[in-house]
Amino acid sequence: SKFLHNQPRHPHGSTGTGDVNKLSSQSRSAINSEVDSMINDILDDDEVRCRMPPLSSRILLNNALDGFDRPDSARRKCFPALLGGSSTLMGLSNSLNKTVCDKLRCTGCDFNILLFDNYVWSTKTDYLFLRNNAPDFDKLVVNLESRAGHRAYCCQCSHHSECNIIDISKLPKLKWVCGKH
């Protein structure tokens, strides 16, 4: 006890022994309050606020850039990558914006995924049929059946038909990923 009194004291009652667990709840509360106060001071600083455009402007700018080609380093991937029927919106998907990816690519055959609105694949569609006929719609149409609200997808090695939004990761037979937007 006498040894501890000879140790230099630090703010909030710490003895410098490194044992943070010995801080009282009152001391912890004071530290948390000080940190919160510093953060609020930074956020309230007019200089910081002036350099940051309002959120609505940042969203508008981001949406305006979507129509332009981005360098590969700036292009974005869907997360999660989704498939869906013909009534679902297409574009870049994220946790807030659940849209069907329209830039899908197969990692198995390195081919862009083809989409056919209001069609489903017939049961006789197989690997060899796709390999010989994709991407020619006039050849593929013999194995496509008209069905409102559905969307048929294919590459040169696999196919899938969907009417509801589904995460591609839930379909392990497909080796499809977002090819970046």
Side-chain angles (χ1 to χ4, degrees), residues 45-56:
D45 189 358
D46 287 336
E47 215 177 289
V48 173
R49 192 175 298 131
C50 289
R51 285 182 282 168
M52 200 66 175
L55 180 61
S56 59

Side-chain angles (χ1 to χ4, degrees), residues 157-171:
C157 67
S158 56
H159 65 283
H160 184 78
S161 299
E162 193 59 57
C163 66
N164 299 311
I165 292 180
I166 187 167
D167 187 335
I168 291 175
S169 65
K170 305 262 190 273
L171 305 167

Side-chain angles (χ1 to χ4, degrees), residues 1 3-17 23 27:
S1 160
F3 177 75
L4 286 177
H5 290 289
N6 292 335
Q7 293 262 340
R9 296 195 62 79
H10 296 283
H12 310 294
S14 171
T15 60
T17 61
L23 287 176
S27 295

Side-chain angles (χ1 to χ4, degrees), residues 71-90:
D72 283 342
S73 61
R75 292 174 65 194
R76 298 173 295 172
K77 283 187 148 188
C78 289
F79 185 77
L82 303 171
L83 300 179
S86 63
S87 62
T88 56
L89 295 175
M90 299 184 75

